[in-house]
Amino acid sequence: MGQSCIAESKMEALILGVAQDGGVPHLGCECHNCSDAVHTGLHKCAVSMSLINSANATPEAWLIDCGPDIKQQWRLLKQHCPKAGVQGVFLTHLHMGHYIGLYQFGKEAMQSRGLKIFCTPRTAEYLNLNQPWKYCIAQGYFQIMIVAPGVQVQLGHGLSVTPVEVPHRQEFSDTVAYSITGCSGKKLFWCPDIDSWEEWDLDVREVVESHDMSFLDATFYSPEELKRRDMGDIPHPLIPHTMHKLQGLGSKVRLIHMNHTNPVWDPRSIQSQELEKQGFQTGVQGSVFTL
Ligand SMILES: [Zn+2]
Ligand SMILES: [Zn+2]
Ligand SMILES: [Zn+2]
């Protein structure tokens, strides 16, 4: 962490955020975790990861997910690798915390030229038909790059990204996770949102076993977290269930996409102690994985 990308390793994944879409603090919330984030000034960004390839003189970077905290995450990327040039963004799906930051690349802000937006055909259709995305595409700020589940996208020097379809409520688009392979052959799995492991046509244990590190949906620890909303309306696998399914594989997992209500944000909570006991960890904003 913190070392420059000129170090021996030429490929890295930098974790830019591990919170659920609304981040921590959540708008209008004064819960324990949100108050803590306000008082310490340690805001937790929505889930996002950057892949950095420093093989060339000008390092290339890609974002996976681009939510409302992109400005803070951009600074984090630049602190880690000042010369990184962002080539494109891989979208998992069209919920706020995963794509709304794209608007910062539009006319009122960065006005990028041909920023590549990698997404599924259904996501592309939505962006092509709906404003303000339609305008950004027509003006050439964005260039849509369609990806298909199971089809590898080559990013050069042995870095590749493959979409994997996952079940998740489909208001505007379908949802994918991403399997990433670096030049060393190391593999990462990025799955911030899934309704349940059981509804998936892949076995989560096999997926974790076949990757060096898997970043998995850990939105909620227990149904009691939601006081005003029905969990059936926003289904996610609960952390104890995920740990049970992945028993013994904790060192290959980083839990991400934690809701602001999740007790594992507090390292002193009994739930955090339970995680530690079972050999699991939450992902950390700013952490780096060599690829
Ligand atoms: Zn999400
Ligand atoms: Zn809160
Ligand atoms: Zn979602």
Side-chain angles (χ1 to χ4, degrees):
M1 207 179 128
Q3 88 250 54
S4 146
C5 56
I6 301 152
E8 308 91 41
S9 128
K10 295 208 161 58
M11 260 175 223
E12 292 170 321
L14 169 66
I15 305 305
L16 298 175
V18 296
Q20 180 268 358
D21 300 41
V24 187
H26 220 69
L27 184 66
C29 185
E30 291 177 6
C31 77
H32 171 71
N33 290 330
C34 290
S35 305
D36 212 42
V38 169
H39 292 135
T40 58
L42 296 172
H43 295 192
K44 277 90 171 188
C45 295
V47 278
S48 177
M49 172 203 273
S50 178
L51 302 174
I52 306 164
N53 176 7
S54 311
N56 297 328
T58 308
E60 295 180 328
W62 290 266
L63 302 176
I64 299 193
D65 285 328
C66 180
D69 301 313
I70 182 61
K71 291 205 305 189
Q72 191 179 332
Q73 292 168 318
W74 187 272
R75 283 199 301 276
L76 194 60
L77 171 61
K78 290 292 176 173
Q79 274 163 14
H80 180 72
C81 188
K83 287 186 175 167
V86 173
Q87 311 292 307
V89 180
F90 286 81
L91 299 180
T92 56
H93 66 304
L94 295 179
H95 284 156
M96 186 266 277
H98 303 264
Y99 89 112
I100 211 75
L102 288 182
Y103 212 11
Q104 292 286 350
F105 294 87
K107 190 168 191 163
E108 299 89 341
M110 189 183 259
Q111 192 165 319
S112 62
R113 293 291 344 149
L115 179 76
K116 293 187 172 77
I117 311 291
F118 297 88
C119 58
T120 66
R122 252 194 83 186
T123 297
E125 189 187 4
Y126 182 91
L127 298 175
N128 278 319
L129 292 176
N130 291 283
Q131 300 292 12
W133 321 111
K134 186 178 170 180
Y135 179 80
C136 291
I137 296 162
Q139 293 299 307
Y141 309 148
F142 301 165
Q143 184 188 354
I144 297 290
M145 310 290 287
I146 291 185
V147 300
V151 180
Q152 206 172 55
V153 179
Q154 296 289 347
L155 297 176
H157 301 99
L159 179 64
S160 72
V161 177
T162 308
V164 178
E165 205 168 4
V166 294
H168 182 48
R169 56 199 173 79
Q170 308 198 352
E171 285 95 351
F172 308 115
S173 70
D174 48 5
T175 301
V176 290
Y178 286 105
S179 174
I180 299 135
T181 306
C183 59
S184 68
K186 273 199 188 147
K187 291 179 75 179
L188 301 183
F189 188 67
W190 181 255
C191 179
D193 266 288
I194 190 164
D195 288 353
S196 80
W197 304 124
E198 285 70 22
E199 284 164 74
W200 198 16
D201 49 11
L202 297 181
D203 181 321
V204 63
R205 236 191 125 78
E206 282 174 19
V207 171
V208 169
E209 278 168 344
S210 64
H211 288 82
D212 294 278
M213 190 57 78
S214 294
F215 299 85
L216 303 180
D217 182 341
T219 309
F220 301 115
Y221 195 95
S222 103
E224 271 88 72
E225 284 171 48
L226 288 184
K227 298 197 170 64
R228 292 182 295 118
R229 293 174 67 175
D230 175 11
M231 200 166 271
D233 193 37
I234 36 175
H236 290 277
L238 298 176
I239 292 180
H241 179 63
T242 301
M243 291 198 293
H244 178 72
K245 280 194 93 77
L246 298 175
Q247 231 166 27
L249 296 177
S251 63
K252 288 162 78 76
V253 172
R254 293 293 179 272
L255 301 169
I256 59 165
H257 199 267
M258 282 79 71
N259 199 49
H260 65 112
T261 53
N262 199 316
V264 301
W265 281 117
D266 181 353
R268 295 154 302 181
S269 69
I270 46 168
Q271 292 86 351
S272 289
Q273 288 164 25
E274 185 58 30
L275 236 69
E276 202 182 327
K277 206 168 91 190
Q278 297 203 35
F280 285 81
Q281 296 175 42
T282 52
V284 175
Q285 186 173 309
S287 57
V288 177
F289 296 82
T290 303
L291 281 167

